[in-house]
Amino acid sequence: MSLPFHEFAANLTLADMPDDVLRVLRRSFTDTMGVAAVGSTSVMADIARRGAVALFGAGGAGGARIVMNGQTVSPAGAAMAGAFTVDAVDAHDGTSPCKGHAGSAVFPALLAMADAAEVPMTGADFAALLAVAYEVSYRAGLAQHATCADYHTSGAWTAVGVAVACARALGCSADEIRHAAGIGEYHGPRSQMMRCIDHPTMLRDGVGWGAPSGLTAAYLAREGFTGAPALTCEDAPGFWADLGNRWRLVEDTHYKPYPCCRWAHPSLDAAAALMRDHALTHDQITAVEIKTFHNATRLAGHTPATSDEFAYSIAFPVAAMIVRGQVGVPELAEATLQDPDILRISKATQLVDDPHFTAISVGKRWAQVTMTLKDGRSFTSEPRTPRGDTDLPLSDAEISEKFHLFADPVLGSSRADELEKLSGCFDTLDAKGFARLCDLVLNAPGN
C-alpha cells in the first residue's frame, strides 16, 4: 500500500530508490546542466538575472548563487533566475504525458536550497530531494491536466513538486510538507500554455515562476502558514494510488535531441530520415507537407523573428533540418533566422491538422512528413513518434555528445568533463564532493 504523498516525501531515502530512478536522475542532472550552460548566454537569462539581483537580495534565508552565473541572491531569486536560464533553450528533459517539463524548475530550485543550506548536503540528500520533486511534479501534472479545463504550463504543477521537496530540505514535518504543497499549488502560476504557443515570448513554460513559488511555499509552511489540501495531490486519488511502487519519472521522462518544442520533434526525425534514406539535397525540394496533431499545427513559425518564435515553431526547424542536416546550437544563432535557403523551404511547408494523429497523441506525439521534388517525385515518411521517449531512448553516448555540444563552448572542455563526471554519479558524493559539483554548476564560466 502506498504512502500519502507528504509521508512519501518526508521519509524517502536513497535506499528506497530503484536503480532505474537513479539512472534517470543522473541523466537529467547532466542533460539539464548542459542546457543551463548554453541558456546562460541568452538575453532571456540575462534579463532574469538582472531582475533577481534587483528584487531578490539575500536575506535571513541565506544566499544562493544563480546557476552558471555565481551572483548571490535569495534562494527564491536564484530559483527564478535559474529556471528562466534553463528554460531559455528548449532542450531540457520533459514528460510527454504531462505535455511539459520538470527538470527546468526542479534543478534550479533545489540547487538554490543546497547552496543556502546551513548543513552541507551530500549527493544522497540531493538525490532524495530530486526524486520527490520529480515524482510529485509528474503526478500533480497528470492530475491537473485531467481535472482542469485549460492547458496550463509546467510552472503550474512543478510549483507543487518543488514546494514538497524544498519543505523536506528545510526539515519540515509531513504535515508541514502537506501544507507546502497546498500553498505551492494555490499560488503557482496557472499560466496558459497555448497563449505562448500562439504568441511566443520569453514567458515560455511558466517555470520561471513555478520554481520560486514552490520554494517560497516551503519557507512559508515551515513558519506555520497553512494551505492544505493541494487538490491535485489529495482530490485525484487515481494518480497517487501506486506512489512509491511505480515511478512515473522512470516511465515518462524523455530527453530532447533538438533545442525546440517537443511537438516538432517527430517531424524533425521524419525529415532527417527522408533526407538520409533518399540521399536528397535541399535544392531538390519544392514543397513539404507535415501531417501532425492539432496543437503542433499551432506552432507554425514559417518566418520566426526571435529565438522565442523559433523555439515554438515547426516549419522553420524542419526546414533547417532539411538544409543543414541538424538542429543544434548553431541553429540558435540569430543569423539562422535570415538563412535564405531555410526560409525558402519553410515558406513552402504546409501543416496539416490530422484528426487521427490528434486522437492518438495522448502521451505520444505523432507526425508524418512528405517532400515533393522539382522532378515531380515525392517521398513520404512512415508516421512516427520522436526519439528520446522511453521506447526510442537516446543512448548514453548521445546524451554525452549533446551535453558537450552545449557546455564545452561556454564552460571549456575541462570544466565540462568534470561536471559530466560528477553529475553522472552525484548520488554517491559526500558533502565535499557534492559541494564541488555545486561550484561547477553555480559559478560563472571562467571562475
Side-chain angles (χ1 to χ4, degrees), residues 144 155-164 176-190 209-218 220-221 225-233:
Q144 187 183 89
W157 42 270
T158 54
V160 181
V162 168
V164 168
E176 289 169 332
I177 290 172
R178 178 172 175 257
H179 283 291
I183 301 165
E185 180 192 73
Y186 194 88
H187 291 145
R190 289 292 179 101
W209 283 113
S213 294
L215 187 149
T216 302
L220 290 173
F225 199 101
T226 58
L231 299 185
T232 52
C233 299

Side-chain angles (χ1 to χ4, degrees), residues 59-262:
R65 289 167 289 177
I66 298 171
V67 171
M68 298 290 173
N69 175 259
Q71 292 188 85
T72 298
V73 292
S74 70
M80 184 203 77
F84 276 125
T85 295
V86 178
D87 207 25
V89 174
D90 199 350
H92 37 83
D93 70 6
T95 161
S96 292
C98 288
K99 303 191 290 271
H101 311 269
S104 51
V106 164
F107 275 98
L110 294 183
L111 286 167
M113 294 297 294
D115 207 34
E118 294 182 2
V119 178
M121 283 190 193
T122 66
D125 297 332
F126 198 76
L129 297 178
L130 276 181
V132 166
Y134 266 88
E135 195 67 16
V136 171
S137 291
Y138 280 13
R139 290 171 183 267
L142 289 169
Q144 187 183 89
H145 286 316
T147 56
C148 295
D150 210 349
Y151 167 25
H152 296 103
T153 65
S154 303
W157 42 270
T158 54
V160 181
V162 168
V164 168
C166 288
R168 174 191 164 125
L170 291 172
C172 290
S173 67
D175 189 57
E176 289 169 332
I177 290 172
R178 178 172 175 257
H179 283 291
I183 301 165
E185 180 192 73
Y186 194 88
H187 291 145
R190 289 292 179 101
S191 37
Q192 300 81 31
M193 188 70 249
M194 295 311 294
R195 169 184 163 182
C196 203
I197 298 297
D198 293 335
H199 308 284
T201 63
M202 293 179 185
L203 295 172
R204 298 291 183 112
D205 200 29
V207 294
W209 283 113
S213 294
L215 187 149
T216 302
Y219 276 92
L220 290 173
R222 186 184 67 173
E223 299 304 313
F225 199 101
T226 58
L231 299 185
T232 52
C233 299
E234 301 191 43
D235 203 27
F239 297 101
W240 299 91
D242 53 5
L243 179 65
N245 299 315
R246 176 186 181 188
W247 290 87
R248 301 302 311 223
L249 74 89
V250 173
E251 295 180 24
D252 297 340
T253 300
H254 69 241
Y255 297 94
K256 301 173 76 170
Y258 314 117
C260 59
C261 181
R262 184 69 170 168

Side-chain angles (χ1 to χ4, degrees), residues 381-404:
S381 72
E382 292 295 324
R384 64 164 299 145
T385 57
R387 292 185 302 127
D389 285 347
T390 51
D391 60 340
L392 293 170
L394 299 185
S395 67
D396 290 343
E398 288 174 309
I399 293 287
S400 178
E401 180 182 11
K402 173 189 170 187
F403 169 78
H404 284 286

